[in-house]
Amino acid sequence: MAYYQTEYRYRRYKKHSRRKKWIILAVVLAAIVGIFLFFHKNVAGMLYSLSEATVRVAATESVNDAVSQTLTWNNIDYSKLVTVTRGEDDRVLSLEANAQSVNLLARQTVTLSMANLSAACEEGVKVPIGVFTGIEFLAGFGPDVTFKIIPVGSVSCDFRSSFVSAGLNQTLHSIYMDVTATVSVVMPSRTQEISVPTQVLICESVVVGEIPDAYLNGDIFG
């Protein structure tokens, strides 16, 4: 009789112990899922916002510095980028882009922008550890955690121009460079790719004389 009672207690204990283990496992899994969902909903968004802001500033400064330096190297002005052809009556016959100068300026800007961006990205994105609480007013507290930034792809460079009336028989011709840099930020939840467009005014000039409608309605850079 004592044997059966002992065996019964043992089975009950074993069954209770197994059930307790499953309950603990379920609680642990639920906690992990909860932490993941909380991180994904609250922390990841703040991390992305801070990283994007840092990357955009670094990319914009890198491109602006590159454009400024290439313009200085080549001593660029309006006459070096655009050739204005006039007729005998001083009427504007054509406006043509200097392909050699434009291509050289684009190549140098792309190369220098990538070099500047790579140097800026070496420091990474520094995020206060308070961000991981998911609470906004604590986001600025605690030591910094650094996330890696990887410049990927290539910097693209395009030229465009615009014509604006500047008075009687006068037209302001502005030339812009549109540079787009692509940067990838490696975060715990994902790798986020950020595209940063930058528009820079290269030069401008007031063209005296009537300009053909074909140029006013189009772009000399195609």
Side-chain angles (χ1 to χ4, degrees):
M1 186 69 178
Y3 170 78
Y4 290 109
Q5 289 179 348
T6 302
E7 181 69 18
Y8 175 73
R9 290 195 187 99
Y10 174 74
R11 289 179 180 178
R12 285 192 60 186
Y13 171 78
K14 189 174 182 182
K15 185 177 181 181
H16 176 73
S17 178
R18 188 182 299 115
R19 184 184 302 170
K20 187 176 180 181
K21 289 180 180 179
W22 280 110
I23 292 174
I24 294 174
L25 180 61
V27 170
V28 172
L29 289 176
I32 293 175
V33 172
I35 292 173
F36 174 79
L37 293 176
F38 175 81
F39 180 87
H40 184 74
K41 182 179 180 180
N42 299 285
V43 180
M46 295 176 66
L47 280 176
Y48 173 70
S49 297
L50 290 172
S51 300
E52 182 181 20
T54 303
V55 166
R56 289 190 180 280
V57 170
T60 302
E61 289 180 352
S62 297
V63 170
N64 285 333
D65 289 345
V67 173
S68 177
Q69 192 162 352
T70 53
L71 292 178
T72 301
W73 285 347
N74 298 283
N75 195 24
I76 291 295
D77 58 18
Y78 182 82
S79 62
K80 288 189 176 181
L81 295 180
V82 181
T83 299
V84 181
T85 303
R86 298 179 181 272
E88 294 181 357
D89 56 354
D90 207 33
R91 183 177 181 180
V92 177
L93 297 178
S94 66
L95 294 167
E96 297 181 359
N98 186 328
Q100 183 176 0
S101 296
V102 169
N103 291 334
L104 176 62
L105 189 61
R107 287 197 303 270
Q108 291 179 342
T109 298
V110 167
T111 302
L112 191 55
S113 293
M114 282 299 299
N116 291 345
L117 192 55
S118 296
C121 289
E122 287 182 358
E123 298 181 2
V125 175
K126 297 184 183 301
V127 178
I129 200 170
V131 171
F132 292 93
T133 63
I135 303 173
E136 290 189 10
F137 74 87
L138 294 178
F141 293 93
D144 291 335
V145 177
T146 301
F147 291 97
K148 189 176 182 181
I149 305 177
I150 306 174
V152 297
S154 60
V155 175
S156 63
C157 180
D158 296 307
F159 287 81
R160 62 183 176 84
S161 65
S162 67
F163 295 90
V164 178
S165 176
L168 183 62
N169 211 30
Q170 295 182 342
T171 304
L172 178 64
H173 187 198
S174 303
I175 299 176
Y176 298 90
M177 182 187 293
D178 294 328
V179 185
T180 302
T182 302
V183 180
S184 185
V185 181
V186 181
M187 296 185 294
S189 57
R190 59 178 173 173
T191 298
Q192 183 66 42
E193 188 174 283
I194 300 173
S195 182
V196 185
T198 303
Q199 174 185 290
V200 183
L201 175 63
I202 300 300
C203 59
E204 57 186 5
S205 177
V206 175
V207 181
V208 179
E210 184 180 353
I211 296 178
D213 292 340
Y215 296 100
L216 294 176
N217 300 325
D219 193 327
I220 66 172
F221 298 102

